Coordinates of all heavy atoms in Angstrom, one line a residue:
M11 N 0.4 -6.4 4.9 CA -0.9 -5.8 5.3 C -0.8 -5.2 6.7 O -0.2 -5.9 7.6 CB -2.0 -6.8 5.2 CG -3.4 -6.3 5.5 SD -4.8 -7.4 5.2 CE -4.3 -8.8 6.0
M12 N -1.2 -4.0 6.8 CA -1.1 -3.3 8.1 C -2.2 -2.3 8.3 O -2.7 -1.8 7.3 CB 0.3 -2.6 8.3 CG 0.5 -1.5 7.4 SD 2.0 -0.5 7.6 CE 3.3 -1.7 7.2
H13 N -2.5 -2.0 9.5 CA -3.4 -0.9 9.8 C -2.8 0.4 9.4 O -3.4 1.3 8.8 CB -3.9 -0.9 11.2 CG -4.9 0.2 11.5 ND1 -4.5 1.3 12.3 CD2 -6.1 0.4 11.1 CE1 -5.6 2.1 12.4 NE2 -6.5 1.6 11.6
G14 N -1.5 0.6 9.7 CA -0.7 1.8 9.3 C -0.4 2.8 10.4 O 0.6 3.5 10.3
H15 N -1.1 2.7 11.5 CA -0.8 3.7 12.6 C 0.6 3.5 13.2 O 1.2 4.5 13.6 CB -1.9 3.5 13.7 CG -1.9 2.3 14.5 ND1 -2.2 1.1 13.9 CD2 -1.5 2.0 15.8 CE1 -2.1 0.1 14.8 NE2 -1.6 0.7 15.9
T16 N 1.1 2.3 13.3 CA 2.4 2.1 13.9 C 3.6 2.5 12.9 O 4.7 2.6 13.3 CB 2.7 0.6 14.3 OG1 2.5 -0.2 13.1 CG2 1.7 0.2 15.3
H17 N 3.2 2.8 11.7 CA 4.2 3.2 10.7 C 3.9 4.7 10.2 O 4.5 5.1 9.2 CB 4.3 2.3 9.5 CG 4.9 0.9 9.9 ND1 4.1 -0.1 10.4 CD2 6.1 0.5 9.9 CE1 4.9 -1.1 10.7 NE2 6.1 -0.8 10.4
G18 N 3.1 5.4 10.9 CA 2.9 6.8 10.7 C 2.3 7.2 9.3 O 2.7 8.2 8.8
V19 N 1.4 6.4 8.8 CA 0.9 6.7 7.4 C 0.2 8.0 7.3 O 0.1 8.5 6.2 CB 0.0 5.5 6.9 CG1 0.8 4.2 6.7 CG2 -1.2 5.3 7.7
K20 N -0.3 8.5 8.4 CA -1.0 9.8 8.3 C 0.0 11.0 8.0 O -0.4 12.0 7.5 CB -1.8 10.1 9.5 CG -3.1 9.4 9.6 CD -4.0 9.9 10.7 CE -5.3 9.1 10.7 NZ -6.2 9.5 11.8
G21 N 1.3 10.7 8.3 CA 2.3 11.7 8.1 C 3.1 11.5 6.8 O 4.0 12.2 6.4
G22 N 2.7 10.4 6.1 CA 3.4 10.0 4.8 C 3.7 8.5 4.8 O 3.5 7.8 5.8
M23 N 4.0 8.1 3.6 CA 4.1 6.6 3.4 C 5.5 6.1 3.5 O 5.7 4.9 3.4 CB 3.6 6.3 2.0 CG 2.1 6.5 1.8 SD 1.1 5.6 3.1 CE 1.7 3.9 2.9
E24 N 6.5 6.9 3.7 CA 7.9 6.4 3.7 C 8.2 5.3 4.6 O 8.8 4.3 4.3 CB 8.8 7.6 3.8 CG 8.9 8.5 2.6 CD 10.2 9.2 2.5 OE1 11.0 9.3 3.5 OE2 10.5 9.7 1.3
R25 N 7.8 5.5 5.9 CA 8.1 4.4 6.9 C 7.4 3.1 6.6 O 8.0 2.0 6.7 CB 7.7 4.9 8.3 CG 8.7 5.9 8.9 CD 8.4 6.4 10.3 NE 7.9 5.3 11.2 CZ 7.0 5.5 12.2 NH1 6.5 6.7 12.4 NH2 6.7 4.5 12.9
A26 N 6.2 3.2 6.2 CA 5.4 2.0 5.8 C 6.0 1.3 4.6 O 6.1 0.1 4.5 CB 3.9 2.3 5.7
A27 N 6.3 2.1 3.6 CA 6.9 1.6 2.3 C 8.3 1.0 2.6 O 8.6 -0.1 2.0 CB 7.0 2.7 1.3
L28 N 9.0 1.6 3.4 CA 10.4 1.0 3.8 C 10.2 -0.3 4.5 O 10.9 -1.3 4.2 CB 11.1 2.0 4.7 CG 12.5 1.5 5.1 CD1 13.4 1.3 4.0 CD2 13.1 2.5 6.1
F29 N 9.2 -0.4 5.4 CA 8.9 -1.7 6.1 C 8.6 -2.7 5.0 O 9.0 -3.9 5.1 CB 7.8 -1.5 7.1 CG 7.4 -2.7 7.8 CD1 8.2 -3.1 8.9 CD2 6.3 -3.5 7.4 CE1 7.8 -4.3 9.6 CE2 6.0 -4.6 8.1 CZ 6.7 -5.0 9.2
A30 N 7.7 -2.4 4.1 CA 7.3 -3.4 3.1 C 8.4 -3.8 2.2 O 8.6 -4.9 1.8 CB 6.1 -2.7 2.2
M31 N 9.3 -2.8 1.8 CA 10.4 -3.1 1.0 C 11.4 -4.0 1.7 O 11.9 -5.0 1.1 CB 11.2 -1.8 0.7 CG 12.4 -1.9 -0.2 SD 13.1 -0.4 -0.6 CE 13.9 0.0 0.9
Q32 N 11.6 -3.8 3.0 CA 12.5 -4.7 3.8 C 11.9 -6.1 3.9 O 12.7 -7.0 4.1 CB 12.8 -4.0 5.1 CG 13.7 -2.8 5.0 CD 13.8 -2.0 6.3 OE1 13.0 -2.1 7.2 NE2 14.8 -1.2 6.4
A33 N 10.6 -6.2 3.9 CA 10.0 -7.5 3.9 C 9.9 -8.1 2.6 O 9.3 -9.2 2.4 CB 8.6 -7.4 4.5
E34 N 10.4 -7.5 1.5 CA 10.4 -7.9 0.1 C 9.0 -8.1 -0.4 O 8.7 -9.0 -1.2 CB 11.3 -9.2 0.0 CG 12.7 -9.0 0.3 CD 13.6 -10.2 0.1 OE1 13.1 -11.2 -0.5 OE2 14.7 -10.2 0.6
A35 N 8.1 -7.3 0.1 CA 6.7 -7.4 -0.3 C 6.4 -6.8 -1.7 O 7.2 -6.0 -2.2 CB 5.8 -6.6 0.7
D36 N 5.4 -7.3 -2.4 CA 5.0 -6.8 -3.7 C 3.9 -5.8 -3.5 O 3.7 -4.9 -4.4 CB 4.5 -7.9 -4.6 CG 5.6 -8.9 -4.9 OD1 6.7 -8.5 -5.3 OD2 5.3 -10.1 -4.7
V37 N 3.1 -5.9 -2.4 CA 2.0 -5.0 -2.1 C 2.1 -4.6 -0.7 O 2.4 -5.3 0.2 CB 0.7 -5.8 -2.3 CG1 -0.5 -4.9 -2.0 CG2 0.5 -6.4 -3.7
L38 N 1.8 -3.3 -0.5 CA 1.6 -2.7 0.8 C 0.1 -2.3 0.9 O -0.3 -1.4 0.3 CB 2.5 -1.5 1.1 CG 2.2 -0.7 2.3 CD1 2.2 -1.5 3.6 CD2 3.1 0.5 2.4
L39 N -0.7 -3.1 1.7 CA -2.1 -2.8 1.9 C -2.2 -2.2 3.3 O -1.8 -2.9 4.2 CB -2.9 -4.1 1.7 CG -4.4 -4.0 2.0 CD1 -5.1 -3.1 1.0 CD2 -5.0 -5.4 1.9
H40 N -2.8 -1.0 3.4 CA -2.8 -0.4 4.7 C -4.2 0.4 4.8 O -4.9 0.6 3.9 CB -1.7 0.6 4.9 CG -1.8 1.9 4.1 ND1 -2.5 3.0 4.6 CD2 -1.4 2.2 2.8 CE1 -2.4 4.0 3.6 NE2 -1.8 3.5 2.6
G41 N -4.4 0.7 6.1 CA -5.6 1.5 6.4 C -5.2 2.8 7.2 O -4.1 3.4 6.9
H42 N -5.9 3.1 8.2 CA -5.7 4.2 9.1 C -6.1 5.6 8.6 O -6.7 6.4 9.3 CB -4.3 4.2 9.7 CG -4.1 5.1 10.9 ND1 -4.9 5.0 12.0 CD2 -3.2 6.1 11.1 CE1 -4.4 5.9 12.9 NE2 -3.5 6.6 12.4
T43 N -5.8 5.9 7.4 CA -6.1 7.3 6.9 C -7.6 7.4 6.4 O -8.1 8.5 6.3 CB -5.2 7.7 5.7 OG1 -5.5 6.8 4.6 CG2 -3.7 7.6 6.1
H44 N -8.2 6.3 6.1 CA -9.6 6.2 5.6 C -9.7 6.8 4.2 O -10.8 7.0 3.7 CB -10.6 6.9 6.5 CG -10.8 6.2 7.8 ND1 -12.0 6.2 8.5 CD2 -9.9 5.5 8.6 CE1 -11.9 5.6 9.6 NE2 -10.6 5.1 9.7
L45 N -8.5 7.1 3.6 CA -8.5 7.7 2.2 C -8.2 6.6 1.2 O -7.1 6.0 1.3 CB -7.5 8.8 2.2 CG -7.7 10.0 3.1 CD1 -6.6 10.9 3.1 CD2 -9.1 10.6 2.9
P46 N -9.0 6.4 0.2 CA -8.7 5.4 -0.9 C -7.4 5.8 -1.6 O -7.2 7.0 -1.8 CB -9.9 5.5 -1.8 CG -11.0 6.1 -1.0 CD -10.4 7.0 0.0
R47 N -6.6 4.8 -1.9 CA -5.3 5.1 -2.5 C -4.9 3.9 -3.3 O -5.0 2.8 -2.9 CB -4.3 5.4 -1.4 CG -2.9 5.5 -1.9 CD -1.9 5.5 -0.7 NE -0.6 5.8 -1.2 CZ 0.1 6.9 -0.9 NH1 -0.4 7.8 0.0 NH2 1.3 7.2 -1.4
Q48 N -4.3 4.2 -4.5 CA -3.6 3.2 -5.3 C -2.5 3.8 -6.0 O -2.7 4.8 -6.7 CB -4.5 2.5 -6.3 CG -3.9 1.5 -7.1 CD -4.8 0.9 -8.1 OE1 -5.9 1.3 -8.3 NE2 -4.3 -0.2 -8.8
E49 N -1.3 3.4 -5.7 CA -0.1 4.0 -6.3 C 1.0 2.9 -6.5 O 1.3 2.1 -5.6 CB 0.5 5.1 -5.3 CG 1.7 5.7 -5.8 CD 2.3 6.7 -4.8 OE1 1.7 6.9 -3.7 OE2 3.3 7.4 -5.1
W50 N 1.6 2.9 -7.6 CA 2.7 2.0 -7.9 C 4.0 2.8 -7.7 O 4.2 3.9 -8.2 CB 2.7 1.6 -9.3 CG 1.8 0.4 -9.6 CD1 0.6 0.4 -10.1 CD2 2.1 -1.0 -9.3 NE1 0.1 -0.9 -10.1 CE2 1.0 -1.8 -9.7 CE3 3.2 -1.7 -8.7 CZ2 1.0 -3.1 -9.5 CZ3 3.2 -3.0 -8.6 CH2 2.0 -3.8 -9.0
L51 N 4.9 2.3 -6.9 CA 6.2 2.8 -6.7 C 7.1 1.9 -7.6 O 7.1 0.7 -7.5 CB 6.7 2.8 -5.3 CG 5.8 3.5 -4.3 CD1 6.4 3.3 -2.8 CD2 5.7 5.0 -4.6
D52 N 7.9 2.5 -8.5 CA 8.7 1.8 -9.4 C 10.0 1.3 -8.8 O 10.6 2.0 -8.0 CB 9.0 2.6 -10.7 CG 7.7 2.9 -11.5 OD1 6.8 2.1 -11.5 OD2 7.6 4.0 -12.0
A53 N 10.5 0.2 -9.3 CA 11.9 -0.2 -9.0 C 12.8 0.9 -9.3 O 12.7 1.6 -10.4 CB 12.2 -1.5 -9.8
G54 N 13.8 1.2 -8.5 CA 14.7 2.2 -8.7 C 14.4 3.5 -8.0 O 15.2 4.4 -7.8
E55 N 13.1 3.6 -7.5 CA 12.7 4.8 -6.8 C 13.3 4.8 -5.4 O 13.6 3.8 -4.8 CB 11.2 4.9 -6.6 CG 10.4 5.4 -7.9 CD 9.0 5.7 -7.6 OE1 8.7 6.4 -6.6 OE2 8.1 5.2 -8.4
R56 N 13.6 6.0 -4.9 CA 14.1 6.1 -3.5 C 13.0 6.3 -2.5 O 12.1 7.1 -2.7 CB 15.0 7.4 -3.5 CG 15.8 7.5 -2.2 CD 16.8 8.6 -2.2 NE 17.9 8.3 -3.2 CZ 19.0 7.6 -2.9 NH1 19.1 7.1 -1.7 NH2 19.9 7.4 -3.8
V57 N 13.0 5.4 -1.5 CA 12.1 5.4 -0.4 C 12.8 5.5 0.9 O 13.6 4.5 1.2 CB 11.1 4.2 -0.5 CG1 10.2 4.1 0.7 CG2 10.3 4.2 -1.8
A58 N 12.6 6.5 1.6 CA 13.3 6.7 3.0 C 14.8 6.4 2.9 O 15.3 5.7 3.7 CB 12.6 5.8 4.0
G59 N 15.4 6.9 1.8 CA 16.8 6.8 1.7 C 17.3 5.5 1.1 O 18.5 5.3 0.9
Q60 N 16.3 4.6 0.8 CA 16.7 3.3 0.2 C 16.1 3.2 -1.3 O 15.1 3.9 -1.6 CB 16.1 2.2 1.0 CG 16.5 2.2 2.4 CD 17.9 1.8 2.6 OE1 18.5 0.9 1.9 NE2 18.6 2.5 3.5
I61 N 16.8 2.4 -2.1 CA 16.3 2.2 -3.5 C 15.5 1.0 -3.6 O 15.9 -0.1 -3.2 CB 17.5 2.1 -4.4 CG1 18.4 3.3 -4.3 CG2 17.1 1.9 -5.9 CD1 17.8 4.6 -4.8
L62 N 14.3 1.1 -4.1 CA 13.4 0.0 -4.3 C 14.0 -1.0 -5.3 O 14.4 -0.6 -6.4 CB 12.0 0.4 -4.8 CG 11.0 0.9 -3.8 CD1 9.8 1.4 -4.6 CD2 10.6 -0.2 -2.9
Q63 N 14.1 -2.2 -5.0 CA 14.7 -3.2 -5.9 C 13.6 -3.8 -6.8 O 14.0 -4.4 -7.9 CB 15.3 -4.4 -5.1 CG 16.4 -3.9 -4.2 CD 17.5 -3.2 -4.9 OE1 18.1 -3.8 -5.9 NE2 17.9 -2.0 -4.6
K64 N 12.4 -3.7 -6.5 CA 11.3 -4.1 -7.3 C 10.1 -3.2 -7.1 O 10.0 -2.5 -6.1 CB 10.9 -5.6 -7.1 CG 10.4 -5.9 -5.7 CD 10.1 -7.3 -5.5 CE 9.6 -7.6 -4.1 NZ 9.2 -9.0 -3.9
P65 N 9.1 -3.2 -8.0 CA 7.9 -2.4 -7.9 C 7.1 -2.7 -6.6 O 7.2 -3.9 -6.2 CB 7.1 -2.7 -9.1 CG 8.0 -3.3 -10.1 CD 9.0 -4.0 -9.3
L66 N 6.5 -1.7 -6.1 CA 5.6 -1.9 -4.9 C 4.3 -1.2 -5.1 O 4.3 0.0 -5.4 CB 6.3 -1.3 -3.6 CG 5.6 -1.4 -2.3 CD1 5.4 -2.8 -1.9 CD2 6.3 -0.6 -1.3
L67 N 3.2 -2.0 -5.0 CA 1.9 -1.4 -5.0 C 1.5 -1.0 -3.6 O 1.4 -1.8 -2.7 CB 0.9 -2.5 -5.6 CG -0.6 -2.0 -5.6 CD1 -0.8 -0.8 -6.5 CD2 -1.5 -3.2 -6.1
V68 N 1.1 0.3 -3.5 CA 0.7 0.8 -2.2 C -0.8 1.1 -2.3 O -1.2 1.9 -3.2 CB 1.5 2.1 -1.8 CG1 1.0 2.7 -0.5 CG2 3.0 1.8 -1.8
C69 N -1.6 0.5 -1.5 CA -3.1 0.7 -1.6 C -3.8 0.7 -0.3 O -3.3 0.1 0.7 CB -3.7 -0.3 -2.5 SG -3.2 -2.0 -2.3
N70 N -4.8 1.5 -0.2 CA -5.7 1.6 0.9 C -7.1 1.6 0.4 O -7.5 2.4 -0.5 CB -5.4 3.0 1.6 CG -6.3 3.2 2.8 OD1 -7.3 2.7 3.0 ND2 -5.8 4.1 3.7
P71 N -8.0 0.7 0.9 CA -9.3 0.6 0.4 C -10.3 1.7 0.8 O -11.3 1.9 0.3 CB -9.8 -0.8 0.9 CG -9.0 -1.0 2.1 CD -7.7 -0.3 1.9
G72 N -9.8 2.5 1.8 CA -10.7 3.5 2.3 C -11.3 3.0 3.6 O -10.7 2.1 4.3
A73 N -12.5 3.4 4.0 CA -13.1 3.1 5.3 C -14.4 2.3 5.0 O -15.3 2.9 4.4 CB -13.3 4.3 6.1
L74 N -14.5 1.1 5.6 CA -15.7 0.4 5.4 C -16.9 1.1 6.1 O -18.0 1.0 5.7 CB -15.6 -1.0 6.0 CG -16.7 -2.0 5.8 CD1 -17.0 -2.2 4.3 CD2 -16.4 -3.4 6.4
Q75 N -16.6 1.8 7.2 CA -17.7 2.6 7.9 C -18.3 3.6 6.9 O -19.4 4.1 7.1 CB -17.1 3.3 9.1 CG -16.2 4.4 8.9 CD -15.6 5.0 10.1 OE1 -15.5 4.3 11.2 NE2 -15.1 6.2 10.1
D76 N -17.6 4.0 5.9 CA -18.1 4.9 4.9 C -18.6 4.2 3.6 O -18.9 4.8 2.6 CB -17.0 5.9 4.4 CG -16.5 6.8 5.6 OD1 -17.3 7.1 6.5 OD2 -15.3 7.2 5.5
G77 N -18.7 2.9 3.8 CA -19.2 2.1 2.7 C -18.2 1.7 1.6 O -18.5 1.2 0.5
R78 N -16.9 2.0 1.9 CA -15.8 1.7 0.9 C -15.1 0.4 1.2 O -14.9 0.1 2.4 CB -14.9 2.9 0.8 CG -15.6 4.1 0.3 CD -14.6 5.3 0.0 NE -13.9 5.6 1.2 CZ -13.8 6.8 1.8 NH1 -14.5 7.8 1.2 NH2 -13.2 7.1 2.8
F79 N -14.7 -0.3 0.2 CA -13.8 -1.5 0.4 C -12.9 -1.6 -0.8 O -13.1 -0.9 -1.8 CB -14.7 -2.7 0.6 CG -15.6 -3.1 -0.6 CD1 -15.1 -4.0 -1.5 CD2 -16.8 -2.6 -0.8 CE1 -15.9 -4.3 -2.6 CE2 -17.6 -2.9 -1.9 CZ -17.1 -3.8 -2.8
G80 N -12.0 -2.5 -0.7 CA -11.1 -2.8 -1.8 C -11.0 -4.3 -2.1 O -11.4 -5.1 -1.2
T81 N -10.6 -4.6 -3.3 CA -10.4 -6.0 -3.7 C -9.0 -6.1 -4.2 O -8.5 -5.2 -4.9 CB -11.4 -6.5 -4.8 OG1 -11.2 -5.6 -5.9 CG2 -12.8 -6.4 -4.3
L82 N -8.3 -7.2 -3.9 CA -6.9 -7.4 -4.3 C -6.9 -8.8 -5.0 O -7.3 -9.8 -4.4 CB -6.0 -7.4 -3.1 CG -4.5 -7.5 -3.3 CD1 -4.0 -6.3 -4.2 CD2 -3.8 -7.6 -2.0
T83 N -6.5 -8.8 -6.3 CA -6.4 -10.0 -7.0 C -5.0 -10.3 -7.4 O -4.3 -9.4 -8.0 CB -7.3 -9.9 -8.3 OG1 -8.6 -9.6 -8.0 CG2 -7.2 -11.2 -9.1
L84 N -4.5 -11.4 -7.1 CA -3.1 -11.9 -7.4 C -3.2 -13.1 -8.2 O -3.9 -14.1 -7.9 CB -2.3 -12.2 -6.1 CG -2.4 -11.1 -5.0 CD1 -1.7 -11.7 -3.7 CD2 -1.6 -9.9 -5.5
N85 N -2.6 -13.1 -9.4 CA -2.6 -14.3 -10.2 C -1.3 -14.2 -11.1 O -0.5 -13.3 -11.0 CB -3.8 -14.4 -11.1 CG -4.1 -13.2 -12.0 OD1 -3.1 -12.6 -12.6 ND2 -5.3 -12.8 -12.2
N86 N -1.2 -15.2 -12.0 CA 0.0 -15.2 -12.9 C 0.2 -14.0 -13.8 O 1.3 -13.8 -14.2 CB 0.0 -16.5 -13.7 CG 0.1 -17.8 -12.9 OD1 0.7 -17.7 -11.7 ND2 -0.3 -18.9 -13.4
Q87 N -0.9 -13.3 -14.0 CA -0.8 -12.1 -14.9 C -0.4 -10.9 -14.1 O 0.0 -9.9 -14.7 CB -2.1 -11.9 -15.6 CG -2.5 -12.8 -16.7 CD -2.9 -14.2 -16.3 OE1 -3.6 -14.3 -15.3 NE2 -2.3 -15.2 -16.9
G88 N -0.4 -10.9 -12.8 CA 0.0 -9.8 -12.0 C -0.9 -9.5 -10.8 O -1.5 -10.4 -10.3
I89 N -0.9 -8.2 -10.4 CA -1.6 -7.8 -9.3 C -2.6 -6.7 -9.7 O -2.3 -5.8 -10.4 CB -0.6 -7.1 -8.2 CG1 0.5 -8.1 -7.9 CG2 -1.3 -6.6 -7.0 CD1 1.6 -7.5 -7.1
L90 N -3.8 -6.8 -9.2 CA -4.9 -5.9 -9.5 C -5.6 -5.5 -8.2 O -6.0 -6.3 -7.4 CB -5.9 -6.5 -10.5 CG -7.1 -5.6 -10.9 CD1 -6.6 -4.4 -11.6 CD2 -8.1 -6.4 -11.7
F91 N -5.7 -4.2 -8.0 CA -6.4 -3.7 -6.8 C -7.6 -2.9 -7.3 O -7.4 -2.1 -8.3 CB -5.5 -2.7 -6.0 CG -6.1 -2.2 -4.8 CD1 -6.4 -3.0 -3.7 CD2 -6.6 -0.9 -4.7 CE1 -7.0 -2.5 -2.5 CE2 -7.2 -0.4 -3.6 CZ -7.4 -1.2 -2.5
G92 N -8.7 -3.1 -6.7 CA -9.9 -2.4 -7.2 C -10.6 -1.8 -6.0 O -10.5 -2.2 -4.8
F93 N -11.5 -0.8 -6.2 CA -12.3 -0.1 -5.2 C -13.7 -0.5 -5.4 O -14.2 -0.6 -6.5 CB -12.1 1.4 -5.3 CG -10.7 1.9 -5.0 CD1 -9.9 2.3 -6.1 CD2 -10.3 2.1 -3.7 CE1 -8.6 2.7 -5.9 CE2 -9.0 2.5 -3.5 CZ -8.2 2.9 -4.5
G94 N -14.5 -0.5 -4.3 CA -15.9 -0.8 -4.4 C -16.6 0.0 -3.3 O -15.9 0.6 -2.4
S95 N -17.9 0.1 -3.4 CA -18.7 0.8 -2.4 C -20.0 0.0 -2.1 O -20.5 -0.6 -3.0 CB -18.9 2.3 -2.7 OG -19.7 2.3 -3.9
L96 N -20.5 0.1 -0.9 CA -21.7 -0.6 -0.5 C -22.9 0.3 -0.8 O -22.8 1.5 -0.8 CB -21.6 -0.9 0.9 CG -20.5 -1.9 1.3 CD1 -20.5 -2.0 2.9 CD2 -20.6 -3.2 0.7

């Protein structure tokens, strides 16, 4: 989980995704762009010159100041990210 500004998410997700991959994360939850996002990167995809060894869920809930939020559910069945609004 990161705000995203230190990994340049406004210019693209590669640096942030590479950081998550190197940390062996299953989920990259970030902010900074204020744009809702949910994307699965599949194992075998190339990210910043590296090959993902396992799937990575990249998500951004949007901006709470705009009334948007996200929910992240982790259980034995998998990972679920959802969007909500106030």
